[in-house]
Amino acid sequence: MKNTINKLLVNHSLFYKALLYVATVILVVYLFPKSGHFKYEFQKGKPWQYENYYAPFDFAIQKTQEEIDKEILETKEFSKQYFYYNEDIVANVKATINELVEEVVSASDLSKVEKNTLIEKSNQIIEKVYEFGYLESSSEQKNEQTIITLRKGNKIQEIQLHKIFLSNQLLDFIQAEIGKEPFNETEITVINIIHKELKPNVSFDESFTQKVLNENLSKISYTKGLVSENERIIFKGDIVEGKKFMILTSLKNEFESQVWSKSNYNWIVTGYTLLVALSFLMIFLFLRKYRLDIFENNTKVSFIFFNIILIILLITFIVKYDAKYVYIAPIVILPLVHKAFFDARLGLFTHVLTVLLLGFIVPNSFEFIFLQIIAGIVTILTISELYKRANLFISVLQITFVYFVAYFAFSIIQEGNAQNLNYEKFVYFVLNGAATLFVLPLIYIFERLFGLVSDESLKELSNTNSKLLRELAEKAPGTFQHSLQVANLCEACANEIHANAMLVRTGALYHDIGKMLNPMYFTENQTTTVNPHSDLTPKDSAQIIIDHIINGVELAKKNHIPDRIIDFIRTHHGTTLVYYFYKKEEQFVGGKVELNDFQYPGPIPFSKETAILMMCDSVEAASKSLKTPSSQSIDELVDKIVNKQMEDGQFMNADITFKELQTIKKVLKKKLKNIYHLRIEYPE
């Protein structure tokens, strides 16, 4: 048990990667749809390129979405509208009006015949108004010729809407029924009573109408015909169109929507697991072979896997909601983020693998995979300096344009013309581009979550007005000027060999911040003839010089400087000797000197950028010792220093070629000559 625990502690990094690998595979497989997949790809209007195909089982031919939508629209249009006739209102209104009219008529000066006639007309008006009912004008449905269904008690009657009285028709009808103008005083009073007391008794029965509509919609058939098992569907070479296209589409949908048995389900999950496991294994193998520094850093590996899972989650949610919005998702953010924190090759590699996995989720997978891979390549090729917002904006425009062109090409291939383009997708591509601009705040969030550093952060760190660099300029002005010169040299060299210029410049600005603690022990800060090293032994002096590495690392960590910049502080002297005090100690003791006492702790540079800083730092410092700088002396100085570093094996772990070293030496020679304003000597 103890041995097992010890092995886990020793190999905890590999154990974490294995755990991360298994957890990621399980999560991705869980997100994948568990339906089957039709194993053939086909396009409308194109030949069937496979063998003669026969139906593997009985299935129904599905109607197209356009046909279904048309039937739904027709059902809604011709569905009956139901109105409710309230008989209680009629009874109450009759009683009220009769009582009021009789009271008015009885008190009038009219003759008995006239009184009876007026009461009779009043009753006739009520009967006619409530024969089919009285409906408020605001409740009118469609036009007056519309056939409606009137529910009156237990009876249902279909009538035209114009037979029902509306409030705006009521007054004219009452006046016409009472008689001709001019009306006497009693008639006017009766007209007002009837008009006032008549109440609407017909109302639109929305719930019942909707219930009937839902029943009618549920009766719509989504299929039209049946294909029997072993029935021939298509011959090899036949054009996929018309009924054949509908049958193949129906069969494909049947495969993707089947409720699988437990045995089939297990096989599908096994297949998904193998493919997903293989894909993520490729990422580990890529990192192990080409980016070992990332592979050994669990935080960076976790970050890569986190981004891939984030994209898969996003697409899964969109597909479950509505697959037509899948092109709104800014998938190109994945290579953008990985390029910002690592490099373009890793960004493109992870993007391609992620898109291939997404092919199992999205509909029309071939089109999706092609468009997204092309967009990813354009993203990697066009965005060189992410911290420049103009570059990002221009690149997003180019990516959106590529989406337009690729989708247009696919559409005319599939449809055979440009008339059936889905212009809605062009809007989705524009929204995709707008969402891609969110990458900058997203990078900032990732920096805080994972402790990584991007070009945007490097830009902020390289500002000489930042707290730490301003403090360096105040406490050690000579060192600050030296750092600025080294930063300029590093940037020029990095640009020449296509290294990360922003990274190496930032690293150069911070590489000597440890000298702030004892600035006067470094010659560039000494303004008088008094040298504090005169009172120390060579060994003590060497230790103070060496300590500026350790002090710099501690100071950087205290000020939350990223590890990528601290690496420059650690490696800019590698494992070289403090040569001046080493030789002085030899003279002092007159014998063999312990190398460890005069050797920097290292490590040696492990990237192009850290190697560039070592060369530029040494050359710039040594150039100050030239009493009479000349073109020849500068050339000899650069060759001597760089060649010595190469002989000492300082660049063994740096991914830098001999050709690149020669290029760097040429740049250093040229820049130093410009610094010292050397000119060609003309003959007198």
Side-chain angles (χ1 to χ4, degrees):
M1 182 67 180
K2 187 176 180 180
N3 291 335
T4 304
I5 294 173
N6 288 335
K7 285 182 180 179
L8 287 176
L9 291 173
V10 172
N11 300 303
H12 70 280
S13 181
L14 289 175
F15 178 75
Y16 173 81
K17 290 182 181 68
L19 190 64
L20 177 67
Y21 176 70
V22 172
T24 305
V25 170
I26 292 173
L27 178 59
V28 172
V29 171
Y30 173 77
L31 292 173
F32 276 7
K34 305 305 184 295
S35 59
H37 278 273
F38 192 50
K39 62 181 179 179
Y40 300 109
E41 288 286 341
F42 60 90
Q43 293 180 359
K44 186 178 180 181
K46 298 297 177 183
W48 179 257
Q49 299 176 348
Y50 310 100
E51 69 278 0
N52 298 345
Y53 192 56
Y54 298 86
F57 46 76
D58 295 340
F59 66 94
I61 303 173
Q62 298 174 357
K63 294 178 182 177
T64 64
Q65 190 61 46
E66 290 77 13
E67 291 174 322
I68 295 170
D69 291 342
K70 184 179 178 182
E71 287 191 36
I72 291 173
L73 188 63
E74 289 175 352
T75 301
K76 289 180 178 179
E77 186 175 351
F78 295 106
S79 181
K80 293 179 180 179
Q81 297 185 63
Y82 288 84
F83 288 76
Y84 175 67
Y85 185 99
N86 193 324
E87 294 179 333
D88 293 336
I89 292 177
V90 176
N92 293 333
V93 169
K94 279 183 178 180
T96 303
I97 292 177
N98 286 337
E99 182 182 347
L100 293 173
V101 170
E102 285 183 7
E103 184 181 336
V104 170
V105 171
S106 299
S108 68
D109 298 332
L110 298 176
S111 65
K112 186 176 182 180
V113 174
E114 289 174 332
K115 288 180 180 179
N116 290 335
T117 302
L118 193 55
I119 291 172
E120 185 179 342
K121 285 181 178 180
S122 172
N123 290 328
Q124 288 175 354
I125 290 170
I126 296 171
E127 291 296 332
K128 288 182 180 180
V129 168
Y130 287 121
E131 180 182 1
F132 297 107
Y134 168 24
L135 177 71
E136 283 283 0
S137 297
S138 58
S139 302
E140 185 179 345
Q141 303 292 314
K142 299 187 178 179
N143 57 63
E144 292 186 352
Q145 299 303 317
T146 302
I147 301 297
I148 66 168
T149 304
L150 193 64
R151 292 176 58 216
K152 190 175 183 180
N154 295 325
K155 297 179 181 179
I156 292 179
Q157 182 182 11
E158 289 188 356
I159 61 171
Q160 290 182 328
L161 184 62
H162 71 83
K163 291 185 177 181
I164 296 179
F165 274 89
L166 305 175
S167 59
N168 56 3
Q169 303 169 344
L170 204 57
L171 184 59
D172 291 339
F173 172 74
I174 295 170
Q175 290 174 346
E177 289 293 315
I178 292 296
K180 296 181 179 179
E181 296 184 17
F183 299 116
N184 58 46
E185 186 178 344
T186 304
E187 287 175 334
I188 292 173
T189 305
V190 170
I191 289 171
N192 290 334
I193 289 171
I194 296 172
H195 186 260
K196 179 182 178 183
E197 296 301 329
L198 283 174
K199 306 294 183 186
N201 74 315
V202 175
S203 58
F204 178 59
D205 196 339
E206 186 176 356
S207 61
F208 194 80
T209 301
Q210 188 62 43
K211 180 182 177 182
V212 173
L213 175 60
N214 292 338
E215 288 178 359
N216 293 336
L217 290 174
S218 67
K219 294 176 183 177
I220 294 175
S221 174
Y222 289 83
T223 61
K224 55 175 183 180
L226 183 71
V227 178
S228 302
E229 185 177 356
N230 295 323
E231 182 180 336
R232 177 179 58 81
I233 295 176
I234 193 168
F235 280 127
K236 183 177 181 179
D238 283 357
I239 302 299
V240 180
E241 60 183 358
K243 188 176 180 181
K244 293 173 184 176
F245 177 73
M246 292 175 62
I247 293 173
L248 287 170
T249 303
S250 300
L251 182 58
K252 181 180 179 182
N253 294 336
E254 189 70 21
F255 266 98
E256 294 176 351
S257 63
Q258 279 189 24
V259 178
W260 294 86
S261 65
K262 186 175 180 181
S263 59
N264 284 337
Y265 180 86
N266 291 338
W267 279 112
I268 291 171
V269 171
T270 302
Y272 275 140
T273 303
L274 290 173
L275 289 174
V276 173
L278 189 63
S279 299
F280 283 106
L281 180 62
M282 293 303 103
I283 295 176
F284 274 120
L285 293 177
F286 177 88
L287 294 175
R288 180 71 182 269
K289 185 171 180 62
Y290 296 107
R291 294 305 306 271
L292 188 61
D293 57 316
I294 297 177
F295 179 79
E296 292 175 347
N297 189 317
N298 285 339
T299 302
K300 292 180 179 179
V301 173
S302 301
F303 175 70
I304 293 169
F305 277 59
F306 172 79
N307 281 285
I308 294 173
I309 292 171
L310 202 63
I311 294 296
I312 294 175
L313 270 173
L314 177 63
I315 296 299
T316 302
F317 289 145
I318 291 175
V319 170
K320 285 184 178 180
Y321 175 72
D322 194 337
K324 72 177 184 179
Y325 297 121
V326 74
Y327 284 111
I328 296 179
I331 296 178
V332 293
I333 280 183
L334 180 66
L336 271 177
V337 168
H338 284 173
K339 183 181 179 182
F341 288 108
F342 307 118
D343 59 59
R345 185 165 58 169
L346 176 59
L348 184 59
F349 186 83
T350 54
H351 176 71
V352 170
L353 277 179
T354 305
V355 170
L356 291 175
L357 289 175
L358 292 175
F360 293 108
I361 302 175
V362 299
N364 203 356
S365 57
F366 178 74
E367 176 188 303
F368 178 85
I369 290 172
F370 185 87
L371 260 65
Q372 298 298 353
I373 289 179
I374 290 295
I377 293 171
V378 172
T379 301
I380 292 296
L381 293 177
T382 56
I383 297 184
S384 55
E385 295 174 314
L386 190 60
Y387 61 89
K388 293 183 178 179
R389 287 171 293 181
N391 285 2
L392 177 62
F393 185 76
I394 293 169
S395 181
V396 166
L397 290 178
Q398 293 171 330
I399 294 166
T400 306
F401 176 73
V402 167
Y403 273 129
F404 283 0
V405 173
Y407 172 70
F408 176 78
F410 263 103
S411 295
I412 60 176
I413 289 172
Q414 292 171 351
E415 301 292 339
N417 57 63
Q419 297 175 357
N420 297 323
L421 284 175
N422 184 358
Y423 292 100
E424 197 176 61
K425 282 195 176 180
F426 291 105
V427 177
Y428 298 158
F429 294 140
V430 172
L431 294 175
N432 182 306
T436 303
L437 295 173
F438 184 69
V439 69
L440 289 179
L442 191 64
I443 286 174
Y444 177 80
I445 293 169
F446 285 155
E447 285 177 340
R448 296 296 175 266
L449 286 176
F450 292 91
L452 301 173
V453 59
S454 66
D455 285 350
E456 186 67 23
S457 292
L458 292 176
K459 181 183 176 184
E460 294 176 7
L461 289 168
S462 63
N463 186 347
T464 54
N465 286 321
S466 63
K467 178 186 173 183
L468 203 55
L469 292 181
R470 195 166 62 247
E471 190 178 349
L472 176 65
E474 292 172 358
K475 293 182 178 180
T479 300
F480 179 72
Q481 292 301 321
H482 160 73
S483 298
L484 287 175
Q485 291 280 25
V486 172
N488 292 333
L489 291 173
C490 287
E491 188 174 20
C493 294
N495 285 326
E496 201 67 29
I497 66 168
H498 306 293
N500 191 331
M502 178 60 71
L503 176 62
V504 70
R505 177 178 179 81
T506 309
L509 289 172
Y510 286 88
H511 79 283
D512 272 343
I513 57 172
K515 294 181 178 180
M516 279 195 289
L517 299 182
N518 295 298
M520 298 311 296
Y521 284 89
F522 300 91
T523 55
E524 66 267 24
N525 298 311
Q526 294 171 1
T527 56
T528 64
T529 56
V530 177
N531 189 341
H533 287 289
S534 302
D535 300 327
L536 301 174
T537 63
K539 186 176 179 180
D540 291 337
S541 294
Q543 191 58 50
I544 291 174
I545 301 298
I546 292 170
D547 282 348
H548 90 273
I549 301 291
I550 300 167
N551 295 334
V553 170
E554 291 176 352
L555 198 58
K557 286 183 176 180
K558 184 179 177 182
N559 286 271
H560 307 292
I561 302 299
D563 287 340
R564 286 181 79 184
I565 305 304
I566 294 176
D567 288 338
F568 287 91
I569 301 173
R570 290 192 181 103
T571 61
H572 75 275
H573 283 298
T575 55
T576 58
L577 294 174
V578 184
Y579 196 72
Y580 176 80
F581 290 109
Y582 172 72
K583 285 297 182 182
K584 200 171 181 181
E585 179 71 4
E586 277 188 339
Q587 296 173 2
F588 183 74
V589 299
K592 189 176 181 181
V593 178
E594 188 65 40
L595 282 176
N596 291 337
D597 294 334
F598 295 87
Q599 190 176 33
Y600 286 101
I604 60 176
F606 51 80
S607 66
K608 289 181 182 180
E609 289 77 16
T610 50
I612 289 171
L613 176 59
M614 171 179 272
M615 288 181 271
C616 294
D617 179 48
S618 301
V619 167
E620 200 282 334
S623 68
K624 295 291 194 297
S625 64
L626 293 174
K627 294 180 180 178
T628 54
S630 64
S631 180
Q632 183 179 352
S633 63
I634 288 175
D635 288 349
E636 289 174 354
L637 178 70
V638 172
D639 288 332
K640 177 183 175 183
I641 291 174
V642 175
N643 291 342
K644 181 68 168 61
Q645 290 171 341
M646 290 170 61
E647 290 170 6
D648 291 343
Q650 298 298 315
F651 305 136
M652 286 178 63
N653 294 340
D655 182 22
I656 193 166
T657 64
F658 182 77
K659 182 180 179 181
E660 288 170 337
L661 287 170
Q662 298 306 312
T663 302
I664 290 170
K665 287 201 288 186
K666 288 180 183 177
V667 173
L668 288 174
K669 291 172 184 177
K670 179 181 177 182
K671 291 293 179 182
L672 285 175
K673 290 172 186 175
N674 290 338
I675 290 171
Y676 289 106
H677 305 290
L678 299 180
R679 297 288 184 269
I680 299 172
E681 293 183 8
Y682 293 98
E684 295 181 1

